[in-house]
């Protein structure tokens, strides 16, 4: 049995990694090397890093280390990740989903910087939304809601009228803190209780409303 839920919004705010792009292979390679350099358990590190900016993950994993060192380390990590796009592919349904949003209010809200988001979207063969909130655009990493609130403001839409698409615990918490509904994408999302969980974007159909709304038909 399948059921279809319908959400109505005025704008959609889209995470990138794990939501539009499957970059897990690259993330694992880079962060496990980092874990080894610092004598940390790679499996434990991978439980922390999804959804956050690198410096924020480092602050949790190496408490007490000066933040300027985390920022410097993060810059090196971003360069490594940008150069490593092997195995980066679209999440099933992402290309069609983005095409269906043409002309509708939506934005990319990612913890990646401009270079990394550009490289990964290109590697996955996806076109970037016109409005993008990247690491350079915010002062605080997810789970802080700043990125989603900024995306809503740039689109001119009230937070309560936005729906967030996210895969990680940090991202789902950020969407909730912004006062937005959250559609969780993939297996990680289900552990963090978003409003609705789907396997991938093939389960989401976008219907433009005549009153400027966006109707999301979500098959579960």
């Amino acid at each position: 049995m399948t059921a279809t839920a319908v959400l109505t919004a005025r704008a959609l705010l889209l995470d990138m990694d794990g939501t539009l792009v499957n970059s897990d292979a690259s993330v694992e390679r880079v962060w496990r090397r980092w874990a080894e350099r610092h004598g940390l358990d790679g499996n434990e590190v991978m439980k922390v890093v999804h959804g956050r900016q690198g410096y924020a993950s480092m602050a949790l994993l190496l408490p007490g280390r000066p933040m300027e060192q985390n920022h410097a380390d993060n810059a090196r990590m971003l360069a490594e990740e940008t150069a490593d796009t092997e195995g980066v592919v679209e999440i099933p349904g992402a290309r069609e989903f983005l095409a269906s949003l043409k002309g509708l209010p939506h934005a990319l809200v990612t913890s990646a910087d401009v270079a990394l988001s550009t490289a990964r979207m290109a590697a996955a063969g996806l076109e970037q939304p016109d409005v993008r909130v990247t690491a350079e655009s915010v002062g605080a990493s997810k789970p802080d809601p700043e990125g989603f609130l900024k995306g809503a403001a740039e689109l001119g839409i009230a937070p309560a009228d936005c729906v967030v698409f996210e895969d990680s615990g940090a991202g789902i918490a950020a969407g909730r803190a912004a006062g937005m509904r959250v559609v969780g994408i993939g297996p990680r999302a289900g552990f963090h209780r978003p409003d609705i969980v789907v396997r991938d974007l093939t389960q989401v159909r976008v219907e433009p409303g005549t009153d400027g709304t966006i109707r999301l038909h979500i098959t579960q």
Side-chain angles (χ1 to χ4, degrees), residues 11 36 41 75 77 118 130 172 216:
E36 187 174 351
D41 184 318
M77 293 284 285
T118 300
D130 292 335
I172 291 166
L216 299 170

Side-chain angles (χ1 to χ4, degrees), residues 34 53-65 67 70:
W34 182 88
Q53 289 193 46
Y55 74 85
S57 297
M58 293 169 191
L60 291 173
L61 292 162
L62 296 174
R65 188 166 85 150
M67 190 56 77
N70 292 335

Side-chain angles (χ1 to χ4, degrees), residues 162-186:
C162 296
V163 169
V164 165
F165 284 72
E166 263 286 359
D167 73 302
S168 71
I172 291 166
R176 260 204 224 97
M180 302 172 182
R181 291 157 293 161
V182 182
V183 176
I185 308 294

Side-chain angles (χ1 to χ4, degrees), residues 7-12 101 104-105 206-209 212-216:
L7 292 180
T8 301
R10 291 193 174 275
L12 306 184
L101 295 179
L104 300 176
V206 175
E207 178 190 8
T213 60
I214 302 169
R215 289 171 63 83
L216 299 170

